């Protein structure tokens, strides 16, 4: 029988966040696949774990992924860990999970720390609906495409960023999104953890004066639905009324239904549209 792949979450800073179950599975597994074995050995030594370890990272994920699948198919149990947090979240673990499912290998996860969720819960921003973008792409065109999409995103936005790129990213966010409310979470679960509720511009001015330190999670408020509706109404109002009517009439609607939709688009009453159309006819 095939073995099982365990996705083992590890602490994002504070070692006390390691779960009892994760320690047990890491001790019982036949093999641990780690993003950076040099980093993970300190974690394993701390918890007296002596399971053999192999590297699995972005640059060997296909070749090593197949090796790990073969080990699993031979009946071995493999535990996957990342440098910090939950495997598969903004790391190559997602590729190994896909390969395991395709090969018929069972996959399970051991819940634990994830920087994005930790930041969201303490950010003071809406938590019911959110989107996670991880690190923005380095490719300029791809980055611009994502920033353009985020302009109209109404959910809370979560981004990761390294300290040396923080100012540049804040500049790009300000240019793309305007001066939204933002929470900058740094050094989560560590001694110098900070949660900075501010705006994008205020954060930019602060970090231009103060050198950023520590990995960051940026929690940005989504676009206001009401604001988007107001802007759309202004766009409709800028269109000549007869053209607006023709927009719907050309789709096969009758005049009554078209007037109803035009009124809704412009934030007016149907009778107001009727009166405006009468005036248009009289004037022209």
């Amino acid at each position: 029988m095939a073995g099982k792949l365990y996705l083992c979450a590890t602490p994002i800073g504070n070692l006390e966040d390691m779960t009892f179950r994760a320690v047990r599975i890491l001790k019982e597994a036949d093999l641990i696949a780690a993003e950076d074995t040099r980093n993970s050995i300190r974690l394993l030594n701390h918890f007296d774990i002596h399971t053999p370890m192999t590297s699995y990272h972005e640059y060997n994920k296909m070749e090593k992924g197949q090796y790990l699948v073969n080990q699993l198919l031979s009946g071995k149990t493999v535990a996957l860990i990342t440098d910090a947090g939950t495997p598969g979240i903004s790391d190559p673990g997602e590729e190994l999970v896909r390969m395991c499912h395709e090969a018929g290998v069972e996959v399970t996860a051991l819940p634990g720390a994830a920087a994005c969720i930790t930041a969201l819960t303490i950010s003071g921003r809406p938590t019911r609906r959110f989107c996670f973008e991880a690190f923005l792409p380095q490719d300029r065109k791809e980055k611009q495409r994502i920033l353009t999409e985020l302009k109209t995103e109404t959910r809370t936005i979560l981004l990761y960023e390294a300290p040396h790129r923080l100012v540049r990213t804040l500049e790009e966010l300000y240019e793309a999104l305007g001066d939204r409310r933002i929470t900058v979470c740094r050094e989560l679960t560590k001694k110098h953890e900070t949660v900075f509720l501010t705006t994008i511009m205020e954060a930019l001015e602060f970090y231009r004066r103060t050198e950023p330190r520590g990995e960051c999670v940026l929690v940005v408020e989504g676009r206001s639905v009401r604001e988007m509706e107001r802007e759309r109404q202004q766009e409709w109002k800028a269109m000549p009324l007869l053209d607006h009517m023709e927009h719907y009439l050309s789709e096969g609607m009758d005049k009554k239904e078209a007037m109803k939709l035009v009124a809704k688009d412009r934030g007016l009453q149907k009778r107001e549209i009727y009166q405006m159309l009468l005036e248009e006819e009289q004037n022209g």
Side-chain angles (χ1 to χ4, degrees):
M1 293 180 63
K4 183 186 293 187
L5 175 67
Y6 287 88
L7 307 181
C8 297
T10 55
I12 58 176
N14 193 319
L15 289 178
E16 293 180 1
D17 293 333
M18 189 74 167
T19 69
F20 292 114
R21 186 182 176 205
V23 172
R24 177 177 63 81
I25 293 298
L26 289 174
K27 286 183 176 182
E28 295 177 354
D30 296 304
L31 181 65
I32 295 173
E35 185 176 7
D36 186 336
T37 56
R38 295 167 301 180
N39 178 69
S40 295
I41 192 64
R42 293 193 291 271
L43 176 75
L44 300 188
N45 287 341
H46 181 83
F47 290 102
D48 196 28
I49 298 169
H50 304 287
T51 304
M53 188 165 44
T54 188
S55 65
Y56 175 78
H57 48 71
E58 182 65 30
Y59 304 104
N60 72 352
K61 62 183 180 182
M62 301 308 297
E63 180 183 353
K64 183 57 70 73
Q66 191 56 59
Y67 166 79
L68 292 172
V69 168
N70 290 338
Q71 293 296 304
L72 287 157
L73 289 173
S74 72
K76 292 186 177 180
T77 296
V78 176
L80 177 66
I81 59 176
T82 183
D83 282 348
T86 300
I89 302 297
S90 189
D91 85 346
E94 62 178 342
E95 189 66 36
L96 180 58
V97 170
R98 181 191 63 77
M99 295 172 72
C100 284
H101 283 304
E102 290 178 352
V105 173
E106 185 178 356
V107 180
T108 191
L110 279 59
C116 54
I117 299 301
T118 302
L120 177 65
T121 57
I122 62 176
S123 68
R125 307 301 173 200
T127 61
R128 189 177 69 85
R129 299 173 63 249
F130 60 92
C131 68
F132 175 58
E133 282 294 340
F135 291 92
L136 289 174
Q138 292 302 301
D139 180 78
R140 182 174 297 180
K141 288 185 178 180
E142 181 67 9
K143 180 190 294 185
Q144 190 55 52
R145 182 187 65 79
I146 290 176
L147 289 172
T148 299
E149 290 178 359
L150 293 179
K151 288 181 181 180
T152 55
E153 177 58 68
T154 58
R155 296 170 295 178
T156 300
I157 302 164
L158 302 174
L159 298 164
Y160 287 162
E161 195 48 276
H164 65 279
R165 291 195 301 263
L166 180 60
V167 169
R168 184 181 68 184
T169 296
L170 289 171
E171 290 172 343
E172 291 167 340
L173 289 173
Y174 181 77
E175 182 178 348
L177 311 181
D179 198 16
R180 304 256 189 105
R181 285 190 286 268
I182 186 175
T183 301
V184 181
C185 299
R186 295 176 49 258
E187 297 286 82
L188 289 170
T189 77
K190 299 178 183 178
K191 181 178 180 180
H192 298 293
E193 173 182 286
T194 60
V195 183
F196 184 20
L197 280 73
T198 182
T199 67
I200 294 177
M201 177 50 73
E202 288 177 350
L204 183 54
E205 292 174 348
F206 176 81
Y207 287 113
R208 279 171 173 166
R209 300 191 308 267
T210 308
E211 181 183 1
R213 293 184 180 179
E215 298 299 315
C216 301
V217 182
L218 309 179
V219 187
V220 188
E221 71 172 351
R223 182 79 180 278
S224 165
V225 174
R226 289 184 178 180
E227 181 185 343
M228 291 176 64
E229 289 176 347
R230 285 196 298 268
E231 287 189 4
R232 187 59 177 155
Q233 283 181 3
Q234 293 305 314
E235 291 175 3
W236 283 120
K237 288 179 178 180
M239 177 185 291
L241 182 59
L242 293 179
D243 290 349
H244 197 167
M245 282 289 294
E246 183 58 31
H247 171 75
Y248 291 115
L249 293 172
S250 65
E251 295 180 355
M253 296 182 187
D254 60 33
K255 190 172 182 180
K256 185 176 180 180
E257 184 65 22
M259 280 195 293
K260 181 179 179 181
L261 292 176
V262 168
K264 181 180 178 181
D265 289 342
R266 294 175 176 245
L268 301 173
Q269 297 295 317
K270 183 180 173 182
R271 64 175 180 273
E272 295 178 273
I273 298 299
Y274 178 74
Q275 186 61 42
M276 292 167 66
L277 287 171
L278 282 179
E279 293 174 2
E280 289 272 359
E281 291 177 4
Q282 292 170 0
N283 294 332

